[in-house]
Amino acid sequence: IVKGGSFTDIANAVKYATSGATITLADDIELDERITVKNKAVTIDLNGKTITAAETFTSQCGAILVDSEGDLTIDDTSVNKTGGIDVYSETLDEDESAPIWGAIAVYPVNGHTAKLTVNAGEYKANYYAIVGSGNCTTEDRIEITINDGKFESPDGYGMYLPHVGITTINKGTFIAKDCAIEIRAGELSIKDGQFESTATEFSCS
């Protein structure tokens, strides 16, 4: 599953990678558990492959979690750049909750930082393609940089930014039901991109 190593499980490949490592996918992957990037810098090269979630996947936070002092870069060096993370569920629970909230969650805690850079790929989840932590304090800090990619949420937000930090969008396509991007704290800089909401009305609580 992972090129250049003996790992067949991407969660363990990331867990045991040294800081600065690049993990390149060799096949499509179905996750049984969340991928967590913590206390290190890691690059995931999608290589044209897609990450999905198994029915047994139970974490509602995100398919990938960038935790305290984590620094994640996602790229796709394939020719057609068709890789991505797709954890969208056609079937919701009785209370209309999705098995997984977001494709990528950035959640540092207790005065730590977390960084996410996305250079390419397609990301789809029910509520958030990318989501930050609303529990961040002024000591916590999240930095998100989007250089390109497609971010889609049929039931929610392309990107939800409730946290302290800086988000920079250099390019990308954001398509969501409620709002392409919602920011409630921090700073947002948009240089280019396409943004679309499919909602017929908007209410802010």
Side-chain angles (χ1 to χ4, degrees), residues 1-180:
I1 292 176
V2 180
K3 285 187 175 181
S6 58
F7 289 101
T8 58
D9 182 305
I10 187 173
N12 278 324
V14 171
K15 180 179 179 180
Y16 293 107
T18 57
S19 188
T22 295
I23 298 168
T24 303
L25 303 189
D27 298 292
D28 293 336
I29 290 178
E30 187 177 68
L31 295 178
D32 291 314
E33 61 178 314
R34 184 174 62 203
I35 301 167
T36 299
V37 179
K38 183 176 183 179
N39 295 323
K40 68 178 71 176
V42 173
T43 296
I44 295 177
D45 180 358
L46 296 170
N47 191 35
K49 310 305 180 184
T50 301
I51 297 173
T52 58
E55 291 185 2
T56 54
F57 191 103
T58 58
S59 173
Q60 289 189 318
C61 179
I64 296 181
L65 171 66
V66 186
D67 206 333
S68 300
E69 304 305 323
D71 184 347
L72 172 64
T73 298
I74 301 183
D75 207 346
D76 188 344
T77 59
S78 67
V79 174
N80 295 323
K81 300 189 183 302
T82 54
I85 301 172
D86 187 349
V87 291
Y88 175 72
S89 174
E90 297 276 355
T91 305
L92 301 183
D93 296 336
E94 291 183 1
D95 61 354
E96 297 188 350
S97 64
I100 307 172
W101 295 346
I104 306 172
V106 189
Y107 276 33
V109 294
N110 299 327
H112 291 282
T113 63
K115 296 181 180 180
L116 170 67
T117 302
V118 178
N119 295 325
E122 299 185 0
Y123 307 85
K124 186 176 182 180
N126 285 79
Y127 300 143
Y128 317 104
I130 296 178
V131 58
S133 173
N135 293 324
C136 280
T137 67
T138 55
E139 290 78 23
D140 303 323
R141 190 168 183 83
I142 293 174
E143 294 183 22
I144 298 175
T145 302
I146 307 297
N147 293 316
D148 206 351
K150 182 179 180 181
F151 307 86
E152 185 176 0
S153 176
D155 301 307
Y157 307 83
M159 190 185 306
Y160 182 54
L161 310 171
H163 54 264
V164 176
I166 298 175
T167 299
T168 302
I169 299 174
N170 294 312
K171 187 179 179 182
T173 301
F174 298 80
I175 302 173
K177 178 183 177 182
D178 291 332
C179 192

